[in-house]
Structure formats: C-alpha cells, structure tokens
Amino acid sequence: MDYKATKKNPQWKWIKRWLDLAEHYASWSKDPSTKVGAVIVDDKNRLVSIGYNGMPQGLKNEDSYLNDRELKYKTIIHAEINALIFAQKTHADLSKCTLYTFPFLPCSNCMSIFLQSGIKTFITLKNDSERWKDSFEISRNLALDMNDVSVMEVEWYD
C-alpha cells in the first residue's frame, strides 16, 4: 500500500497538487492541536469537494468546544466527513472519485463511511503517528478487505 511518488511518475504532478491543496485547507481548521484537510477529486482530476476539521456551522461558543479536548473529540466534524457532506450535495456518484487527505490517513470511522460512499482510492502522506496508529491500522485493514480499494501512502522523493 505504500507508494513512492517521484517526478518520473506521470501521476506525481496531480498527487502533489491535490495533497498540497489538502494541506492548504487543513490550515483553515481552528482546531488548536490537529489540522486536517481533505480533497475529493473525480476521475478526470476535477475538484469535487473540500473539507477541513471543525465544529458544526453556527455553533455558539466554538472556542469552548475546541479548548476542551474531551468535548472536542465528541463534537468535531472530521475533514473527510465535511468534504463528503458537500460532495454529496453536488456529485451523486462518488465511485470514481479519489480522496486526498493531509496530514494522514482517515481514521477507521471515516474510512468505513467513505467505503460505504463508494470511494475506492485514498491518497495521503505516509504518517506513522503513534497517537493514531491503531486507527490507521484498522483503516488499512478495512481497505485490504475490500474489493478494488487502494490506499496510497505517499513518501516524497525529489
């Protein structure tokens, strides 16, 4: 499932562009500890949707939720889910789409939801964060146990 992206690979330019865009959207998150971005792209490399982790729209006292770690974990919407919500408003069939995430693989809950949505290709940076290690392993195993699903964990080599 590891994938080494190099300038010699014809997909490298697009992979880098979309991961860079996911990184950009991650910077929009107000989460003080973890900023995550997600980009959904169709099979013709056209942008379908974006998302970043954050609280529900219109929430009063957002800072009180973000600054209480336990409460934040119970209420924050992950970047991938935000991207999926907006994608489903405009793009009925996601089966030929790819999800790009920054800085790491979707958690196991998000991976399950995305597999159910029909997305079969997931591209992210290789990240072995000890904090999310168990969830990432479950995500990888979910993908392995599915037909025609690929996870590319990119290592940059110039």
Side-chain angles (χ1 to χ4, degrees):
M1 281 199 273
D2 291 339
Y3 182 80
K4 292 183 173 54
T6 66
K7 289 182 181 178
K8 293 178 185 175
N9 183 306
Q11 292 181 313
W12 180 86
K13 176 176 71 172
W14 286 108
I15 291 169
K16 178 142 178 42
R17 280 181 184 164
W18 296 124
L19 286 174
D20 284 348
L21 193 59
E23 180 179 19
H24 172 74
Y25 288 118
S27 73
W28 292 10
S29 173
K30 294 179 184 176
D31 186 329
S33 62
T34 306
K35 298 183 182 302
V36 180
V39 175
I40 300 174
V41 176
D42 71 13
D43 59 332
K44 295 190 175 17
N45 277 317
R46 293 179 297 206
L47 182 65
V48 171
S49 185
I50 63 97
Y52 54 92
N53 56 320
M55 291 294 151
Q57 291 178 9
L59 181 67
K60 295 178 184 177
N61 302 317
E62 181 177 10
D63 289 343
S64 65
Y65 286 84
L66 289 170
N67 294 319
D68 179 334
R69 194 175 202 83
E70 188 176 327
L71 184 57
K72 177 181 75 170
Y73 283 157
K74 292 177 180 178
T75 56
I76 200 161
I77 300 169
H78 289 195
E80 303 91 332
I81 300 304
N82 266 327
L84 184 62
I85 289 167
F86 294 112
Q88 290 178 329
K89 290 181 179 183
T90 62
H91 209 84
D93 182 15
L94 299 176
S95 64
K96 293 182 181 176
C97 290
T98 298
L99 174 68
Y100 292 84
T101 56
F102 178 92
F104 40 60
L105 196 62
C107 72
S108 55
N109 290 333
C110 288
M111 181 62 88
S112 292
I113 292 167
F114 267 85
L115 291 169
Q116 187 69 17
S117 79
I119 290 182
K120 296 182 185 285
T121 305
F122 302 84
I123 301 178
T124 189
L125 296 179
K126 184 154 181 73
N127 185 322
D128 293 322
S129 170
E130 194 61 35
R131 184 171 168 200
W132 303 108
K133 182 179 177 181
D134 292 341
S135 185
F136 294 159
E137 191 59 31
I138 293 168
S139 292
R140 288 180 191 104
N141 288 335
L142 279 167
L144 282 172
D145 288 341
M146 300 289 291
N147 291 326
D148 302 322
V149 172
S150 65
V151 173
M152 297 178 190
E153 294 184 68
V154 176
E155 293 180 323
W156 294 119
Y157 293 103
D158 288 325

